[in-house]
Amino acid sequence: MTMLLRHARIPGRDGTVDVLLKHGVITGIGAGLEGSAETDLDGRWVVPGLWDAHVHLGQAALNRQRVDLSAATSAAHAAALITGSPRPDHGPLIARGFRDGLWTDEPTAHVLDAAVGDVPVVAISGDLHCCWLNSAAMTMFDVTGSTGLLREDDAFQVTTRLEDVPQHVLDDWVTSAARDAAARGVVGVVDLEMQDTVTAWTRRFAAGFDVMRVAAGIWEPWLDRAIAAGLRTGHPLDTAEPRLTAGPFKVISDGSLNTRTAFCVDPYPGLHGDLSRGLLTVRPDRLVELLRRASEAGLNPAVHAIGDRANELVLDAFAEAGCRGRIEHAQLLREQDVPRFAELGVTASVQPEHAMDDRDVADVYWAGRTGRAFVLKSLLDSGADVVLGSDAPVAPLDPWVTIAAAVSRARDGLAPWHPEQAIPVRQAMAASTDGAGHEIAVGRAADLAVLDLDPFAVDAEALRTMPVAATYVAGYTTFDGR
């Protein structure tokens, strides 16, 4: 297929150009180009298509069907929001998005029982690392010895069972979420859903999914099968479908900040005992073994680490395993560990909007340490490879939200939080394009976003709400809002 985009503008440059797309590649940029199918962009700006380097697309799709608790300011407030929600015809009432880090009351089963009685309720936290059940739900999921709040693996055992919806229904919801992402200029995602993503995405593409490129992450339960099948990160799962590739091998090494399970050097204020510094979820020697096994098979490891001690241990594991990979989140770092990312060839896969969501809770639980939290500029200045994402549904699957947070370190009219870690828009865009940089170029994939504004000439609020006119993947239109 050949397409000619006429009267396009490139951010930061004067005048307009034509952009020629052939067989999924940009083959020409200039004046007077010829093509059989022409589209007049009327002076709109063309940039490389955007990627989200860390999503849970199934969870993001499911969350759109659930009760929203993100505005809850207390356990009682959350219970009241649930009380006013429609009851399901079958199964539990599922809510999502609560953040209890700064609540003054405890999210217990009794609070929910008083509000909803014997209707089973499961509320999933905004960071996905804990869930809150009432007594009826605890009975339904065979939970014993708990006040109703489950963390980490105990929570995952419940939340993965909530994904048990008919395949065709979930696939439709995922496709809908993907189309909304395409409307924001997204051409690809790294899907790290905690399931058999290879099988799920193979099924979806076989059924005609054509909205974006997908790198399907692999978790430990499916590692043996992936190795036996010869899957390699970045390589197509099927040579007939280059848009679907094997993603990284995912491991979780600690918890999260809001759940107070991120593994830290210093204890959390007010916490005592074995878990006062958070939770390490995989032993260092076991992590080294997993990194070696995956990397030797051609699967790039991606390790979740949020606390500073967890990041130190994961960097140590990469060094001992002698392989490269990614650290997902890298939220709190010791100063001496920042340069180790570049030294070891470890990519920092970070989510700038998390800093906006977590700034208040970080000021409490990481008091005195927030100068080394979410250190995007420091990582880039050290020479580290940095890629940006959302961790959707933890933050919106919208790279413009991500870019705006990286550029401004501010939201909701608040003053910038540690503005010394803000980065220029060119760097933020380059970290959001899967290696395509901040500017289109001949020879690169014809994955493009067409914008109504010049992203280099607007403020952060305009970046956050950037109007996207069209999106192309391999030269095919996946969104046209003109």
Side-chain angles (χ1 to χ4, degrees):
M1 177 181 176
T2 299
M3 178 181 290
L4 183 63
L5 305 179
R6 288 209 180 275
H7 304 120
R9 286 198 274 184
I10 297 176
R13 294 193 192 181
D14 295 329
T16 64
V17 297
D18 299 333
V19 182
L20 184 61
L21 315 178
K22 284 186 179 181
H23 308 300
V25 176
I26 302 172
T27 57
I29 300 173
L33 302 181
E34 298 294 333
S36 55
E38 296 189 7
T39 298
D40 194 334
L41 296 185
D42 296 320
R44 292 183 174 90
W45 287 265
V46 179
V47 299
L50 301 174
W51 273 73
D52 192 313
H54 185 133
V55 304
H56 305 271
L57 201 49
Q59 284 293 320
L62 287 163
N63 264 17
R64 291 149 70 107
Q65 324 303 321
R66 295 167 173 171
V67 179
D68 185 4
L69 301 182
S70 59
T73 56
S74 67
H77 186 194
L81 292 173
I82 293 171
T83 301
S85 304
R87 299 295 187 262
D89 293 332
H90 60 275
L93 188 160
I94 307 173
R96 50 88 177 178
F98 76 89
R99 296 177 183 271
D100 65 320
L102 300 179
W103 289 357
T104 57
D105 55 350
E106 293 289 329
T108 66
H110 297 304
V111 173
L112 291 177
D113 291 345
V116 299
D118 58 1
V119 176
V121 172
V122 178
I124 303 169
S125 65
D127 60 18
L128 305 182
H129 280 254
C130 71
C131 62
W132 174 21
L133 287 69
N134 70 343
S135 296
M138 290 171 66
T139 299
M140 173 180 286
F141 291 99
D142 301 317
V143 174
T144 59
S146 170
T147 62
L149 193 69
L150 306 179
R151 293 182 170 89
E152 303 305 330
D153 285 345
D154 291 338
F156 299 151
Q157 289 177 23
V158 172
T159 55
T160 53
R161 290 172 63 181
L162 298 177
E163 300 172 24
D164 187 19
V165 300
Q167 284 184 354
H168 71 279
V169 173
L170 180 58
D171 289 351
D172 285 347
W173 290 347
V174 166
T175 299
S176 177
R179 292 198 186 284
D180 287 348
R184 302 302 296 142
V186 175
V187 299
V189 298
V190 179
D191 188 8
L192 299 175
E193 187 72 295
M194 194 181 291
Q195 59 169 234
D196 181 3
T197 56
V198 169
T199 296
W201 280 109
T202 299
R203 179 183 71 246
R204 289 166 189 157
F205 273 87
F209 180 91
D210 60 359
V211 184
M212 60 178 58
R213 300 182 189 272
V214 175
I218 297 159
W219 290 75
E220 187 178 354
W222 300 279
L223 179 59
D224 287 344
R225 191 182 68 189
I227 292 174
L231 302 188
R232 300 176 68 86
T233 298
H235 291 211
L237 298 181
D238 182 338
T239 54
E241 182 45 86
R243 294 170 300 177
L244 176 59
T245 60
F249 166 60
K250 178 71 183 296
V251 183
I252 293 179
S253 78
D254 72 339
S256 70
L257 169 58
N258 274 280
T259 304
R260 281 83 72 201
T261 48
F263 194 51
C264 297
V265 173
D266 301 299
Y268 289 90
L271 296 187
H272 306 280
D274 293 340
L275 299 181
S276 64
R277 290 176 170 79
L279 180 67
L280 192 66
T281 57
V282 59
R283 299 190 322 271
D285 59 336
R286 174 62 176 157
L287 180 59
V288 171
E289 175 188 336
L290 288 170
L291 299 187
R292 280 182 176 150
R293 186 154 178 266
S295 62
E296 288 172 0
L299 295 171
N300 190 35
V303 186
H304 164 119
I306 288 183
D308 51 0
R309 179 61 172 150
N311 276 281
E312 177 191 4
L313 291 172
V314 173
L315 288 166
D316 289 347
F318 274 114
E320 185 173 346
C323 68
R324 299 184 173 219
R326 297 169 29 151
I327 289 182
E328 306 297 323
H329 312 306
Q331 288 187 2
L332 184 65
L333 299 174
R334 304 183 313 157
E335 291 181 2
Q336 60 265 43
D337 284 330
V338 171
R340 297 180 69 199
F341 283 80
E343 292 165 3
L344 295 171
V346 174
T347 296
S349 172
V350 299
Q351 301 76 38
E353 183 69 356
H354 287 1
M356 302 300 92
D357 289 330
D358 292 348
R359 58 186 290 173
D360 292 341
V361 73
D363 283 339
V364 172
Y365 290 108
W366 288 346
R369 291 171 277 169
T370 54
R372 50 188 178 88
F374 305 95
V375 289
L376 187 51
K377 186 176 187 299
S378 294
L379 284 164
L380 284 166
D381 288 349
S382 74
D385 181 28
V386 175
V387 296
L388 303 186
S390 65
D391 198 15
V394 180
L397 204 176
D398 184 340
W400 295 107
V401 168
T402 297
I403 290 167
V407 168
S408 69
R409 304 279 292 198
R411 192 186 69 193
D412 302 327
L414 298 175
W417 190 68
H418 289 288
E420 70 276 7
Q421 291 297 334
I423 63 173
V425 66
R426 285 172 172 79
Q427 284 187 309
M429 288 184 63
S432 302
T433 59
D434 196 39
H438 68 269
E439 186 174 290
I440 62 172
V442 171
R444 290 182 179 153
D447 297 350
L448 307 171
V450 180
L451 314 175
D452 286 331
L453 299 174
D454 181 349
F456 298 168
V458 298
D459 62 19
E461 190 54 38
L463 280 174
R464 185 172 282 269
T465 57
M466 174 63 68
V468 176
T471 306
Y472 300 92
V473 174
Y476 289 89
T477 305
T478 57
F479 169 73
D480 191 344
R482 291 171 296 158

